[in-house]
Amino acid sequence: MQTNTDLRMVRGACPHDCPDTCAWIATVERGKVIRLQGDPDHPPTHGALCTKVSRYAERTYHAGRVLTPLKRVGPKGAGQFVPVGWDEALDDIAARLREIASRDPEAILPYSYAGTMGMLQSESMDRRFFHRLGASLLDRTICSNAGGEALAGTYGGKLGMHLEDYAASRLILIWGSNSIASNLHFWTFAQQAKRQGARLVCIDPRRTETADKCHQHIALRPGTDGALALGLMHELITAGLLDEDYIARHVDGFDALRERALQWPAARAAEVCGLDAAVITALTHEYAATRPAAIRLNYGVQRVRGGGNAVRLIALLPCLTGAWRERGGGLLLSSSGWFRAFRNDAVLQRPDLLGDRRPRTINMSTIGDDLLRDSSPAFGPRVEAIVVYNSNPVAVAPDSSKVVAGFRREDLFTVVLEHFLTDTADHADYVLPATTQLEHRDLHTAYGHTYVVANEPAVAPLGQARPNTQVFRDLAARMGFDEPCFADTDEQLAAQALQGLDLQALRAQGWVKLPVPDRPFADGGFSTPNGRAQVAPPGWAVPDHLPPHESPASAPALAARYPLAMISPPARNFLNSTFVNVQSLRDIEGEPLLEIHPDDAAARGIADGSVVRVFNDRGTYRCKAAVSTRARSGVVIGLGVWWRKLGLDGTNVNELTSQRLTDIGRAPTFYDCLVEVQPG
Ligand SMILES: Nc1nc2c(c(=O)[nH]1)N[C@H]1C(S)=C(S)[C@@H](COP(=O)(O)OP(=O)(O)OC[C@H]3O[C@@H](n4cnc5c(=O)[nH]c(N)nc54)[C@H](O)[C@@H]3O)O[C@H]1N2
Ligand SMILES: Nc1nc2c(c(=O)[nH]1)N[C@H]1C(S)=C(S)[C@@H](COP(=O)(O)OP(=O)(O)OC[C@H]3O[C@@H](n4cnc5c(=O)[nH]c(N)nc54)[C@H](O)[C@@H]3O)O[C@H]1N2
Ligand code: SF4
Ligand SMILES: [Mo]
């Protein structure tokens, strides 16, 4: 787009790990981005970016940007570096990786997540490089795997309602989601529905800003959503509120589910959830009687031991009432599965470059333990090199004292591609300066809507920053990888990335909607092999409520010592640990806080604003207390994810979280964490 000679408008996509994947328009004046706004024509974005990404230019031109390659000069983890040239850095990195690979390429581990979700900068040339090298594979479980696998087992894919259709709902259960903070553009549609008379019900242990704006807030105990879903099913069954026709035609395994649900009268579920039974009964009748009724399920429910089972149970609710029949009825957890047929992942990522090799897989959620493991027949070789990009594991991975100990290993060779000196970059041997979304090309699919969004570079790379793709291209050349795919430019990668879509429309308007059917499961047609929703896919048990790893029910001795359940959901003005260093946003969030209910605070002599010690067997974290009824009693909340180095003692909430995994999906259990709190 062109307006006049001084100002240029460039179309792009928000790269962040957020369901909304907004389309943006950057205004560029003399080579500098002076303004970023939401695309008014892109239906999900609706012309508005969230507060944090409106500051993306502030982040991009931040004085702390890493703009040259840096080489470590101080002790591991001290963050002391000197600038070096790209050739020196890449030659040395390639030599080190070649030397390790000559002994065993599996001693090299890529570690990446969704700092950018772009198909190019997040999963293209990097994957080709590590596949060709034969490095260890990474199981990318840290966010959505429990719920994602659960949903795929139930519906056959990560599939759900159209975002826009929530405007037509008459009842919306916002379940495990602080939508105003983390899914703002869904909230816009929920508000439309509300203005037309819809009721909004928020199911969340914390009284979030979203809960404040809903008609009803159901503050259950963390990790008890499976019990709540079973309590609802019990009432649906016993009160005769099922859509028998929908179940008979479109659900497999209902008899076993009925048997399970009949063990969960409202009183039992209420006891587990810490609710009144009448709340569960009333919600059941409202859910069954209101048409259309929608659920916006989000990942907040699945960061506990039983998270996978809970998602399976909740995902079955709209199948039991036939809520899928109407536009505005059904459920959305993730829409990413709709993109599968249109993404050429195998072409971009080239798993065939592995040849016959089948490297071991390391779970990113247990990186704390895995960096500390010695070689063994079961584990394979000790990790000797780690290449981190699009992620900040030292801040975001659970049980961080272990993660830090791993990254401090003198014998671990660490390369970090980054914008800033994060907690992880501080531990690098080399930090390589990465471009931001304003400086590189990319293509984005989404997990909260069904549009592909393209990103054009708005400005030239700042300083010596390079796109991730270019770094892996350059490393491949130095490693002697001479397959033609390592020469593909970003333009060529973009041309390979998608199929079956109107790419001309994508280029012209910056986004294109997938041809997803209207009311996708109105008449069944799930993506399972037989088209029916599955209560229990082959090899899976009938879903049930599984108490958290750490709860009075499952670990009474532990609960006696650590009686408070801690959850650590995202702060509104940060994106995981991104933006924590943007001053204007940090000013809004203030400082790391622990929300604690007035009764729990009084019992411990804790005053609002005073410093507290939060601790368990894994560690201690000090921060200030916010005495507040946002926390229900028995639950404390540490909004995340702060940079460790900005914390009082150089730690953050993940000092306390555990590496134990979920029932399904090998995912972390961040919200399954007992602690005690004391003044100090
Ligand atoms: N502003 C902002 N937006 C973000 C992010 C961010 O860090 N900041 N992170 C992004 C990422 S990576 C993701 S995965 C998504 C996450 O998206 P969501 O999973 O929707 O995350 P939250 O909005 O924090 O919602 C989680 C909510 O679940 C609640 N919760 C915690 N435990 C339980 C429980 O056991 N049961 C129930 N019912 N609720 C529970 C928390 O109190 C919180 O309010 O958001 C994305 N968007
Ligand atoms: N206690 C607790 N811990 C959590 C969570 C929680 O709710 N509670 N949430 C978890 C969840 S849902 C997630 S998804 C993970 C997220 O964990 P991560 O994916 O590690 O997310 P971020 O902390 O945002 O770190 C992303 C980093 O990528 C960098 N980056 C961005 N774009 C680029 C790029 O183009 N190139 C390069 N080289 N780097 C780039 C950013 O500067 C940033 O430092 O955290 C998890 N950790
Ligand atoms: S973080 Fe989410 S809401 Fe904010 S601009 Fe990006 S996609 Fe939109
Ligand atoms: Mo996430």
Side-chain angles (χ1 to χ4, degrees):
M1 279 193 286
Q2 193 82 30
T3 47
N4 64 43
T5 43
D6 280 344
L7 293 184
R8 237 169 23 100
M9 312 286 261
V10 183
R11 290 187 178 283
C14 174
H16 287 298
D17 189 351
C18 167
D20 298 7
T21 309
C22 289
W24 74 30
I25 299 170
T27 309
V28 182
E29 188 180 32
R30 289 185 210 92
K32 191 168 177 185
V33 174
I34 54 163
R35 183 156 178 236
L36 207 53
Q37 63 198 111
D39 181 347
D41 298 327
H42 179 232
T45 308
H46 215 71
L49 302 174
C50 64
T51 312
K52 51 197 179 301
V53 171
S54 316
R55 314 287 166 87
Y56 197 84
E58 182 181 345
R59 183 177 184 278
T60 299
Y61 297 110
H62 193 290
R65 265 293 288 279
V66 176
L67 293 175
T68 63
L70 299 174
K71 182 178 182 173
R72 174 166 75 92
V73 288
K76 273 266 163 151
Q80 293 163 8
F81 301 101
V82 289
V84 291
W86 269 107
D87 283 336
E88 180 188 339
L90 291 174
D91 287 347
D92 194 20
I93 293 166
R96 294 288 297 266
L97 295 183
R98 235 192 342 258
E99 187 273 320
I100 296 169
S102 70
R103 283 179 284 111
D104 190 344
E106 293 184 33
I108 299 170
L109 177 68
Y111 195 100
S112 73
Y113 200 63
T116 166
M117 299 199 75
M119 295 180 76
L120 272 50
Q121 304 306 333
S122 160
E123 33 190 356
S124 68
M125 201 53 85
D126 54 314
R127 306 297 166 101
R128 292 179 181 182
F129 177 82
F130 291 110
H131 287 146
R132 172 68 178 74
L133 184 61
S136 288
L137 300 171
L138 186 72
D139 197 4
R140 292 180 169 81
T141 56
I142 202 161
C143 172
S144 60
N145 239 44
E149 288 194 5
L151 197 69
T154 312
Y155 297 166
K158 292 164 93 171
L159 307 169
M161 283 174 63
H162 290 267
L163 170 67
E164 297 90 326
D165 288 351
Y166 281 92
S169 308
R170 303 287 300 168
L171 170 70
I172 308 178
L173 309 188
I174 301 178
W175 200 325
S177 168
N178 181 7
S179 314
I180 294 178
S182 70
N183 192 189
L184 188 62
H185 296 80
F186 154 75
W187 182 250
T188 310
F189 291 101
Q191 288 299 99
Q192 273 182 39
K194 191 179 173 190
R195 279 195 295 275
Q196 288 158 29
R199 259 183 47 94
L200 308 185
V201 178
C202 179
I203 304 175
D204 193 314
R206 176 172 187 253
R207 185 168 58 75
T208 59
E209 50 268 60
T210 306
D212 283 337
K213 297 225 160 65
C214 287
H215 297 93
Q216 186 184 359
H217 174 211
I218 299 179
L220 78 183
R221 290 197 184 101
T224 63
D225 301 272
L228 177 57
L230 284 162
L232 293 169
M233 287 180 187
H234 182 281
E235 188 66 18
L236 287 174
I237 294 167
T238 53
L241 299 171
L242 299 172
D243 183 337
E244 306 273 4
D245 172 64
Y246 192 93
I247 296 170
R249 291 194 295 132
H250 305 308
V251 180
D252 268 350
F254 178 67
D255 289 343
L257 184 65
R258 178 201 305 269
E259 209 176 301
R260 172 78 76 221
L262 287 176
Q263 299 162 1
W264 284 90
R268 178 180 176 203
E271 171 77 30
V272 170
C273 300
L275 299 171
D276 284 340
V279 168
I280 298 179
T281 332
L283 182 66
T284 314
H285 286 264
E286 189 180 3
Y287 180 64
T290 315
R291 316 293 296 216
I295 299 176
R296 182 53 168 112
L297 180 61
N298 224 320
Y299 287 112
V301 299
Q302 45 102 69
R303 307 195 196 291
V304 292
R305 174 190 170 216
N309 270 268
V311 167
R312 289 170 63 196
L313 288 162
I314 297 165
L316 287 164
L317 286 169
C319 303
L320 301 192
T321 60
W324 286 112
R325 290 180 190 272
E326 294 101 26
R327 176 177 304 106
L331 175 143
L332 178 64
L333 169 61
S334 169
S335 61
S336 65
W338 294 121
F339 293 90
R340 267 183 93 151
F342 303 97
R343 290 175 58 115
N344 277 330
D345 285 335
V347 174
L348 269 197
Q349 303 177 18
R350 298 291 306 269
D352 57 294
L353 291 168
L354 281 167
D356 295 335
R357 298 168 299 185
R358 289 292 169 269
R360 56 123 179 245
T361 298
I362 287 188
N363 186 343
M364 69 186 304
S365 302
T366 54
I367 189 66
D369 280 342
D370 290 338
L371 284 182
L372 297 175
R373 264 186 237 285
D374 285 325
S375 303
S376 72
F379 179 63
R382 184 165 168 86
V383 179
E384 292 182 52
I386 185 165
V387 182
V388 182
Y389 52 103
N390 305 341
S391 185
N392 184 10
V394 171
V396 304
D399 200 357
S400 33
S401 65
K402 298 257 183 63
V403 183
V404 169
F407 273 94
R408 285 221 176 121
R409 274 176 44 200
E410 280 297 331
D411 62 335
L412 179 71
F413 180 61
T414 302
V415 178
V416 179
L417 286 62
E418 251 301 349
H419 300 148
F420 294 103
L421 286 179
T422 59
D423 292 324
T424 306
D426 280 347
H427 290 79
D429 292 284
Y430 281 103
V431 185
L432 302 179
T435 45
T436 70
Q437 188 79 342
L438 294 172
E439 302 152 63
H440 58 223
R441 175 177 306 283
D442 223 325
L443 284 169
H444 289 257
T445 59
Y447 65 98
H449 62 62
T450 48
Y451 296 76
V452 174
V453 188
N455 185 72
E456 299 281 329
V459 293
L462 267 62
Q464 298 181 36
R466 292 184 181 176
N468 295 342
T469 41
Q470 189 180 339
V471 173
F472 289 106
R473 208 178 280 127
D474 294 346
L475 278 175
R478 282 171 170 77
M479 303 288 284
F481 299 167
D482 53 12
E483 290 80 357
C485 70
F486 289 107
D488 286 344
T489 62
D490 283 12
E491 286 76 5
Q492 288 168 321
L493 290 170
Q496 297 161 17
L498 297 164
Q499 59 185 11
L501 289 172
D502 184 346
L503 297 179
Q504 223 158 353
L506 179 61
R507 253 191 305 275
Q509 70 186 350
W511 45 267
V512 64
K513 189 168 168 54
L514 296 187
V516 175
D518 185 33
R519 297 184 302 135
F521 308 131
D523 194 22
F526 293 93
S527 289
T528 52
N530 67 3
R532 294 158 68 91
Q534 301 294 309
V535 166
W540 296 29
V542 178
D544 199 357
H545 168 63
L546 304 179
H549 290 299
E550 303 193 355
S551 66
S554 50
L558 189 76
R561 286 193 293 141
Y562 304 118
L564 298 169
M566 186 187 82
I567 58 173
S568 47
R572 180 170 179 179
N573 293 290
F574 303 149
L575 213 136
N576 301 318
S577 76
T578 305
F579 293 104
V580 176
N581 60 327
V582 175
Q583 192 64 47
S584 66
L585 295 171
R586 193 155 87 228
D587 288 345
I588 307 176
E589 290 296 330
E591 58 191 323
L593 294 173
L594 187 83
E595 293 174 346
I596 182 166
H597 188 271
D599 295 346
D600 292 327
R604 292 166 176 78
I606 291 167
D608 186 46
S610 65
V611 174
V612 289
R613 290 175 59 237
V614 196
F615 60 98
N616 59 20
D617 290 341
R618 289 176 288 271
T620 299
Y621 163 57
R622 283 170 76 248
C623 65
K624 284 197 182 154
V627 177
S628 160
T629 52
R630 291 212 176 273
R632 60 166 285 164
S633 82
V635 178
V636 291
I637 300 135
L639 291 183
V641 180
W642 283 80
W643 284 14
R644 282 169 64 87
K645 56 185 165 187
L646 298 173
L648 284 181
D649 293 334
T651 57
N652 71 14
V653 279
N654 280 322
E655 199 74 7
L656 304 168
T657 53
S658 91
Q659 295 181 70
R660 294 184 76 175
L661 301 176
T662 49
D663 52 351
I664 294 172
R666 310 162 305 285
T669 54
F670 290 112
Y671 306 166
D672 185 336
C673 176
L674 288 177
V675 300
E676 180 54 294
V677 185
Q678 285 176 355

